[in-house]
């Protein structure tokens, strides 16, 4: 076998389009820890961007994948039915509203978004889609067109998909001159205006929204915003799509983000935490809507792969058996209140917000540093000390906390101690890490 040090030189053969936030050469992972090839341990509070919700390599998921691999790896969905997919459908149906009873599986989040666009257009016969400012829906041409979290995701890829219109999202911290309720009303007003001036309801197939903005900055909308969208969609015959690719599977302390708002979508998009790292995603809708999707008009080779479905079934069992929703609520509450008390000592923290373990800490410019530079320096300081955190937001000015739902208070405290040191060092000795930023 080629010695590992020789393999590592191959990293230069990987496309530079991957930005690489760390240079960690990971060898293995367990729960919230990653281990590099030299045996150094890192606390991973990214969960691989909200994927390892039950922790990396949960032993029960590993066993389920191994057992399934012995039996069947690939059962092509247009050729055969297989047990893991049928069982997964049964399991998901038990935790979803009865209106969401029909499933289509894909491999990545973007592919699920792309499928939803196709279903919405096909089923309604209408061309246009409304998405919301700051949303992130993926990298394929359709999903990218719906994405307005940052220009880097869209630049130099024009022409984008036609038929997409962008409405404002109630990002309260950006519009501090309005109360969250006023802002929510203003956004709804603008949306109504858009339906009168750019795309009439007769031309609008669907609206797509993340119940909590992910890449856009971990922003929770005011309470009634999603309910108002639901009302408009129902009145005007427009489909409402919730992209729960990041908010799903316990991330917000409920199985799905929409549960916080008591609003149900017509189409639900799932991925990431669904299968603990196996590539599985999908969309769920009512069978009456799905009946309009003509057989053969959409598909894919790998969608609903047997290993991925087996991993997903076990993931759902673990979430239940280990009471992980409860833990996400409790530990999320602890994390938010600890970060809020840090914000009293550090004026560069503008806002701490979130639901469950989807927690954002937004920075503001201080006398010497920009908000983006503060967040980046803090991220890098934490990484040096063995804590992996990611940023999000238009200027990467929000540190996002995405620990696994299994996280303990001790683990959170360990990470918070590093974060607090980072805040102190970066705001008092800003020359620190200048060479890296
Ligand atoms: C809300 C949301 N939608 C869609 C996607 C795209 O998923 P993928 O990267 O698996 O294509 C992501 C990925 O981060 C996401 O967070």
């Amino acid at each position: 076998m080629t010695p590992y040090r020789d393999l590592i030189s191959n990293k230069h053969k990987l496309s530079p389009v991957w930005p690489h936030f760390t240079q960690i050469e990971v060898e293995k992972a367990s729960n919230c820890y990653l281990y590099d090839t030299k045996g150094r341990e890192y606390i991973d509070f990214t969960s691989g961007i909200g994927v390892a919700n039950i922790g990396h390599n949960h032993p029960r998921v590993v066993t389920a994948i191994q057992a399934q691999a012995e039996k069947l790896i690939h059962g092509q969905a247009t050729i055969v039915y297989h047990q893991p997919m049928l069982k997964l459908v049964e399991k998901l149906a038990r935790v979803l509203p009865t209106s969401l009873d029909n499933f289509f599986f894909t491999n990545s989040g973007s592919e699920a978004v792309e499928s939803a666009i196709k279903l919405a257009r096909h089923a309604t016969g209408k061309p246009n889609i409304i998405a919301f400012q700051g949303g992130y829906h993926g990298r394929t041409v359709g999903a990218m067109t719906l994405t307005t979290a940052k220009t880097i995701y869209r630049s130099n890829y024009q022409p984008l998909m036609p038929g997409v219109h962008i409405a404002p999202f109630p990002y309260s911290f950006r519009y501090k001159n309005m109360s969250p309720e006023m802002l929510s009303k203003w956004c709804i007003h603008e949306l109504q205006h858009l339906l009168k001036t750019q795309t009439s309801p007769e031309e609008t197939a669907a609206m797509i929204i993340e119940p909590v903005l992910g890449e856009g900055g971990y922003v929770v909308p005011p309470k009634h915003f999603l309910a108002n969208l639901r009302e408009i969609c129902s009145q005007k015959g427009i489909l409402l799509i919730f992209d729960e690719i990041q908010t799903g599977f316990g991330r917000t302390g409920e199985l799905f983000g929409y549960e916080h708002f008591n609003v149900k979508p017509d189409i639900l998009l799932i991925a990431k935490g669904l299968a603990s790292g196996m590539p599985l995603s999908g969309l769920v809708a009512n069978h009456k809507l799905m009946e309009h999707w003509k057989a053969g008009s959409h598909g894919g080779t790998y969608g609903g792969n047997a290993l991925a479905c087996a991993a997903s079934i076990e993931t759902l069992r673990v979430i239940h058996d280990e009471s992980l929703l409860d833990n996400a609520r409790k530990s999320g509450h602890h994390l938010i209140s600890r970060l809020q008390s840090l914000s009293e000592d550090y004026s560069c923290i503008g806002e701490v917000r979130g639901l469950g373990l989807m927690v954002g800490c937004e920075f503001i410019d201080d006398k010497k540093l920009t908000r983006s530079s503060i967040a980046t320096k803090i991220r890098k300081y934490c990484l040096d000390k063995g804590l992996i955190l990611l940023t999000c937001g238009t200027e990467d000015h929000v540190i996002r906390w995405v620990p696994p739902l299994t996280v303990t208070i001790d683990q959170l405290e360990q990470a918070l101690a590093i974060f607090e040191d980072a805040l102190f060092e970066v705001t008092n000795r800003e020359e620190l890490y200048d060479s890296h930023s």
Side-chain angles (χ1 to χ4, degrees):
M1 226 168 55
T2 318
Y4 189 76
R5 63 182 172 280
D6 293 341
L7 284 178
I8 271 309
S9 63
N10 287 338
K11 69 183 181 188
H12 301 295
K13 295 180 185 153
L14 297 174
S15 168
V17 76
W18 270 315
H20 292 291
F21 296 110
T22 84
Q23 290 300 314
I24 299 171
E25 294 152 21
V26 68
E27 176 141 305
K28 59 182 185 173
S30 170
N31 197 9
C32 67
Y33 301 105
L34 295 183
Y35 300 89
D36 73 11
T37 48
K38 297 191 185 83
R40 183 172 180 197
E41 180 182 277
Y42 290 86
I43 303 173
D44 176 15
F45 273 10
T46 74
S47 300
I49 319 194
V51 169
N53 279 6
I54 63 167
H56 288 285
N57 280 51
H58 195 290
R60 283 177 55 180
V61 172
V62 173
T63 307
I65 295 170
Q66 284 167 340
Q68 184 56 42
E70 302 259 324
K71 293 194 251 176
L72 175 80
I73 295 176
H74 176 60
Q76 216 288 326
T78 61
I79 302 176
V80 291
Y81 293 99
H82 61 71
Q83 290 276 305
M85 193 193 288
L86 296 173
K87 272 193 204 148
L88 177 59
V89 158
E90 184 179 295
K91 251 196 126 27
L92 284 170
R94 271 196 223 132
V95 294
L96 287 168
T98 49
S99 57
L100 295 172
D101 62 355
N102 213 271
F103 299 80
F104 176 76
F105 292 110
T106 44
N107 309 285
S108 69
S110 305
E111 210 190 329
V113 170
E114 211 70 30
S115 304
I117 297 169
K118 288 177 76 175
L119 169 61
R121 284 181 166 171
H122 205 91
T124 62
K126 301 194 267 184
N128 294 346
I129 312 278
I130 295 174
F132 290 82
Q133 181 64 54
Y136 181 89
H137 299 286
R139 303 287 195 159
T140 52
V141 173
M144 169 183 71
T145 307
L146 303 172
T147 292
T148 50
K150 282 192 185 87
T151 48
I152 181 115
Y153 301 132
R154 304 153 58 95
S155 299
N156 294 323
Y157 292 119
Q158 276 77 1
L160 303 178
M161 183 178 78
V164 174
H165 299 263
I166 306 296
F169 183 96
Y171 186 156
S172 304
F173 193 69
R174 281 189 59 209
Y175 296 90
K176 286 189 236 95
N177 56 339
M178 284 190 238
S179 71
E181 291 69 30
M182 272 172 66
L183 175 61
S184 180
K185 274 191 192 151
W186 177 76
C187 290
I188 291 293
H189 187 264
E190 287 302 298
L191 173 66
Q192 300 268 27
H193 192 61
L194 191 149
L195 288 168
K196 285 183 197 150
T197 54
Q198 292 184 43
T199 170
S200 74
E202 291 71 35
E203 301 165 292
T204 308
M207 297 188 193
I208 180 166
I209 191 162
E210 295 164 88
V212 177
L213 282 191
E215 299 295 312
Y218 275 31
V219 187
V220 186
K223 190 86 191 153
H224 299 296
F225 183 68
L226 296 180
N228 290 337
L229 288 191
R230 175 70 279 174
E231 232 169 70
I232 294 172
C233 285
S234 300
Q235 275 170 11
K236 301 194 183 295
I238 298 169
L239 296 169
L240 181 60
I241 307 172
F242 282 169
D243 177 344
E244 293 252 18
I245 286 163
Q246 193 156 161
T247 47
F249 299 95
R251 177 52 53 203
T252 66
E254 297 290 348
L255 201 56
F256 296 102
Y258 67 74
E259 294 171 61
H260 292 277
F261 304 96
N262 212 12
V263 176
K264 296 183 189 83
D266 298 302
I267 301 177
L268 175 70
L269 305 183
I270 51 178
K272 291 190 185 273
L274 167 65
S276 296
M278 294 298 285
L280 183 67
S281 62
L283 62 80
V284 196
N286 189 264
H287 67 277
K288 288 195 186 120
L289 180 66
M290 288 281 202
E291 274 162 18
H292 294 281
W293 219 3
K294 194 169 162 215
S297 66
H298 188 52
T301 301
Y302 297 108
N305 169 269
L307 293 190
C309 287
S312 180
I313 294 164
E314 206 53 37
T315 299
L316 287 165
R317 288 191 184 126
V318 168
I319 291 174
H320 175 265
D321 296 351
E322 296 185 10
S323 306
L324 294 185
L325 299 184
D326 248 12
N327 193 57
R329 285 190 283 265
K330 275 187 218 137
S331 44
H333 187 260
H334 181 83
L335 177 59
I336 289 179
S337 60
R338 287 282 281 105
L339 289 171
Q340 272 165 348
S341 36
L342 283 177
S343 73
E344 284 158 25
D345 296 334
Y346 290 95
S347 56
C348 60
I349 301 182
E351 187 177 55
V352 174
R353 56 181 177 246
L355 289 173
L357 284 169
M358 185 168 185
V359 177
C361 182
E362 174 159 348
F363 290 93
I364 50 177
D365 297 349
D366 75 2
K367 277 181 243 129
K368 296 175 194 154
L369 294 170
T370 64
R371 55 196 192 149
S372 159
S373 148
I374 297 170
T376 306
K377 284 167 191 281
I378 286 176
R379 178 177 67 70
K380 287 177 177 167
Y381 179 97
C382 290
L383 180 62
D384 277 357
K385 303 293 172 198
L387 168 66
I388 315 174
L389 291 171
L390 282 179
T391 50
C392 60
T394 311
E395 289 170 49
D396 278 312
H397 60 293
V398 179
I399 294 263
R400 57 172 134 174
W401 294 73
V402 203
L405 315 183
T406 54
V407 75
T408 63
I409 300 297
D410 281 354
Q411 287 161 340
L412 281 178
E413 283 300 327
Q414 211 185 328
L416 282 160
I418 298 173
F419 184 73
E420 185 167 3
D421 282 352
L423 278 169
F424 180 82
E425 293 292 336
V426 168
T427 54
N428 287 288
R429 297 173 45 204
E430 80 276 8
E431 76 281 6
L432 206 73
Y433 299 100
D434 261 355
S435 55
H436 300 286
S437 55

